[in-house]
Amino acid sequence: QQQVKQSPQSLIVQKGGISIINCAYENTAFDYFPWYQQFPGKGPALLIAIRPDVSEKKEGRFTISFNKSAKQFSLHIMDSQPGDSATYFCAASLEASGSRLTFGEGTQLTVNP
Amino acid sequence: DTGVSQDPRHKITKRGQNVTFRCDPISEHNRLYWYRQTLGQGPEFLTYFQNEAQLEKSRLLSDRFSAERPKGSFSTLEIQRTEQGDSAMYLCASSLGLGFGYTFGSGTRLTVV
């Protein structure tokens, strides 16, 4: 059962543009929503995370927007750079159950110079 | 380097053989997680430990899989009688616990031939 759905599967953006990746979740008990960045041959690295009591969180060029009623959240990468080219995963967890993460399928982002 | 260390990085084995992977978490992290990632997919939860106690196992973890974390430090994941479907990246992660994000290792890529 896929509890976190991510789109698009792949995304091509020009340098300086905005990259937007969307996720939808089913389990309303989820209470922690991180985004991970993964480069080939490496493990995922935590980028930014949000909890459902806030609607937006910004860290540098990365912003999470969270819509609790729609059960959706998204990652915005401002001023996208070629070095941002990687696979991005959204995830969700229920901290009371040990914080095990349920990941989306991933988005392959390519930023052209 | 104080990150999560996994060994080996790559393992090629013949079908039916047993394999064991090791994970050394960040030293002060009391939670340790194992995930499996196949090509083009997000990581899938396998099991997690709080200190030396294994608190949850996924239904993905058949009886051919076993994990240990003696003394609450490093962890091992063993797969017995490997099958071609076991070919994947096995990721280990650690965290300080509730309210803290994960740090993933670079993974062990298993190929069963």
Side-chain angles (χ1 to χ4, degrees):
Chain A
Q1 180 185 3
Q2 180 60 43
Q3 294 192 57
V4 179
K5 292 188 177 181
Q6 184 172 344
S7 64
Q9 273 190 317
S10 62
L11 180 62
I12 299 174
V13 172
Q14 291 300 116
K15 179 182 175 182
I18 302 173
S19 304
I20 302 174
I21 305 170
N22 301 299
C23 279
Y25 62 96
E26 297 173 6
N27 187 347
T28 55
F30 283 144
D31 54 11
Y32 177 70
F33 301 89
W35 283 89
Y36 283 83
Q37 178 189 58
Q38 187 175 30
F39 293 103
K42 299 289 187 182
L46 179 65
L47 258 184
I48 185 172
I50 198 168
R51 300 186 189 282
D53 52 345
V54 297
S55 60
E56 186 174 282
K57 183 174 181 181
K58 183 176 180 179
E59 289 184 1
R61 297 185 293 111
F62 301 94
T63 300
I64 299 180
S65 296
F66 186 81
N67 185 329
K68 188 174 181 178
S69 61
K71 295 188 289 184
Q72 294 176 347
F73 58 110
S74 60
L75 176 69
H76 292 61
I77 306 174
M78 312 300 287
D79 187 27
S80 298
Q81 300 296 312
D84 297 331
S85 298
T87 301
Y88 292 80
F89 293 96
C90 62
S93 73
L94 176 60
E95 294 214 315
S97 70
S99 304
R100 63 174 171 89
L101 291 169
T102 300
F103 283 85
E105 301 102 324
T107 297
Q108 176 75 53
L109 172 66
T110 301
V111 181
N112 288 329
Chain B
D1 184 9
T2 58
V4 177
S5 177
Q6 291 190 247
D7 184 69
R9 290 296 310 278
H10 301 94
K11 178 71 176 179
I12 299 174
T13 191
K14 291 184 178 179
R15 191 172 51 186
Q17 297 294 303
N18 298 344
V19 293
T20 300
F21 311 139
R22 178 180 170 123
C23 172
D24 287 273
I26 294 173
S27 58
E28 61 267 29
H29 286 187
N30 58 21
R31 288 193 179 187
L32 186 147
Y33 303 81
W34 286 98
Y35 284 77
R36 180 171 67 188
Q37 185 177 25
T38 53
L39 206 60
Q41 299 295 315
E44 293 178 298
F45 171 80
L46 293 178
T47 188
Y48 97 95
F49 293 82
Q50 179 150 330
N51 299 312
E52 66 274 13
Q54 187 174 20
L55 296 186
E56 189 176 355
K57 290 170 59 173
S58 165
R59 281 169 285 184
L60 292 174
L61 215 63
S62 76
D63 56 6
R64 295 185 298 106
F65 288 70
S66 62
E68 293 184 341
R69 192 183 183 197
K71 302 178 183 178
S73 55
F74 71 92
S75 176
T76 58
L77 178 69
E78 180 183 16
I79 309 174
Q80 296 183 328
R81 305 182 303 281
T82 52
E83 301 171 357
Q84 285 189 319
D86 296 331
S87 296
M89 175 79 85
Y90 289 83
L91 292 163
C92 176
S94 68
S95 87
L96 277 169
L98 279 180
F100 294 90
Y102 290 17
T103 300
F104 278 91
S106 292
T108 294
R109 180 162 295 285
L110 173 66
T111 303
V112 181
V113 297

